[in-house]
Amino acid sequence: MNRTKVTKRTQAERSVETREKLCRAALDAMNEVGYGRFATEDVAERAKVSRGALTHQFSSRNQLIIAAYDYLMTSWEHGWGQIARYPKRLEPVEVTDLLWNNLYRSPHYVASLEIMLAARNDDELGKGIRAIMVRWSAHRDRLIAQLLGTSASDKKTRQFVQMNLCVLRGIALNPNFSSETSSNVQGKLVEEWKRIVTSDFHFTTKP
């Protein structure tokens, strides 16, 4: 008679699983209710863990928010690491597509903005968030340059990256501020931006 062997998880593995559940729940909550109404009680309920388990992992609200932000940035870093293995150089419009589909359409993108804005007015939170943001930004810009076949220090590459970030960030937030009711307004705006990118940005692969 065959018996399936059950591998018992270690305490460390269970702890990591609990932390990840709490980080995902925190991002979900931040997305839905925003920083102002963000509550650890809500996070524990969403993650289906006790308040005691939450406070065991994170002794303060800020610790939880910083960990959730780091969890999100790390997931983006891993995702972009896979993208960077593309075998060929990409055109600027293709990189724009990747940015839109893999970053700005992320289900937790709004949560990342809520956290970054909150960090401006909270020294403790700001210190932790800025360190993670600097790490992620450098990683992101380096991979974009790699996909374009250029250098992250190249002036035109930096301009392309920053313009893309600003425009796509605005398009991602557009539904929150626009009276436009069309369900495809974001798609139309992205297509128009891609037309401009195709016209205005051209790169020569670095030697």
Side-chain angles (χ1 to χ4, degrees), residues 48-195:
K48 295 182 172 56
V49 303
S50 68
R51 285 294 311 283
L54 186 152
T55 54
H56 176 73
Q57 297 293 337
F58 305 106
S59 60
S60 71
R61 182 175 185 263
N62 277 352
Q63 280 191 7
L64 171 60
I65 293 172
I66 292 169
Y69 187 78
D70 187 45
Y71 175 83
L72 179 59
M73 296 301 108
T74 300
S75 72
W76 286 354
E77 288 169 0
H78 289 165
W80 276 84
Q82 296 296 319
I83 291 169
R85 295 194 179 100
Y86 280 13
K88 67 181 183 71
R89 181 179 71 86
L90 299 184
E91 295 298 325
V93 69
E94 294 175 304
V95 173
T96 299
D97 255 336
L98 285 174
L99 281 167
W100 177 249
N101 290 314
N102 293 279
L103 181 58
Y104 291 97
R105 294 184 69 187
S106 162
H108 291 134
Y109 179 69
V110 171
S112 74
L113 291 183
E114 288 273 356
I115 294 170
M116 285 188 289
L117 289 172
R120 296 183 309 160
N121 301 313
D122 184 317
D123 290 341
E124 179 191 13
L125 183 63
K127 184 177 179 180
I129 295 302
R130 281 191 291 274
I132 299 166
M133 185 166 54
V134 167
R135 183 196 78 206
W136 154 247
S137 297
H139 180 80
R140 175 201 62 207
D141 295 356
R142 185 172 60 252
L143 289 180
I144 291 173
Q146 180 181 327
L147 291 168
L148 292 168
T150 63
S151 168
S153 62
D154 175 70
K155 182 178 178 180
K156 190 173 183 180
T157 300
R158 294 200 307 271
Q159 181 187 45
F160 168 75
V161 170
Q162 293 306 314
M163 286 189 69
N164 244 327
L165 298 179
C166 290
V167 173
L168 295 180
R169 184 182 297 124
I171 295 174
L173 292 174
N174 180 264
N176 298 294
F177 302 100
S178 175
S179 60
E180 172 64 63
T181 58
S182 171
S183 60
N184 195 36
V185 63
Q186 285 180 308
K188 291 177 181 177
L189 290 171
V190 170
E191 289 304 313
E192 180 60 20
W193 172 237
K194 284 163 57 180
R195 184 189 65 76

Side-chain angles (χ1 to χ4, degrees), residues 5-80:
K5 184 178 180 180
V6 178
T7 303
K8 189 175 181 179
R9 292 175 302 161
T10 65
Q11 179 60 39
E13 289 171 333
R14 290 195 296 272
S15 179
V16 168
E17 181 181 352
T18 299
R19 287 178 69 88
E20 290 182 348
K21 285 170 61 177
L22 287 166
C23 286
R24 288 192 295 269
L27 292 168
D28 288 342
M30 193 72 71
N31 249 20
E32 291 182 26
V33 305
Y35 178 80
R37 292 190 292 161
F38 180 86
T40 55
E41 296 88 344
D42 181 28
V43 173
E45 184 176 342
R46 289 169 184 264
K48 295 182 172 56
V49 303
S50 68
R51 285 294 311 283
L54 186 152
T55 54
H56 176 73
Q57 297 293 337
F58 305 106
S59 60
S60 71
R61 182 175 185 263
N62 277 352
Q63 280 191 7
L64 171 60
I65 293 172
I66 292 169
Y69 187 78
D70 187 45
Y71 175 83
L72 179 59
M73 296 301 108
T74 300
S75 72
W76 286 354
E77 288 169 0
H78 289 165
W80 276 84

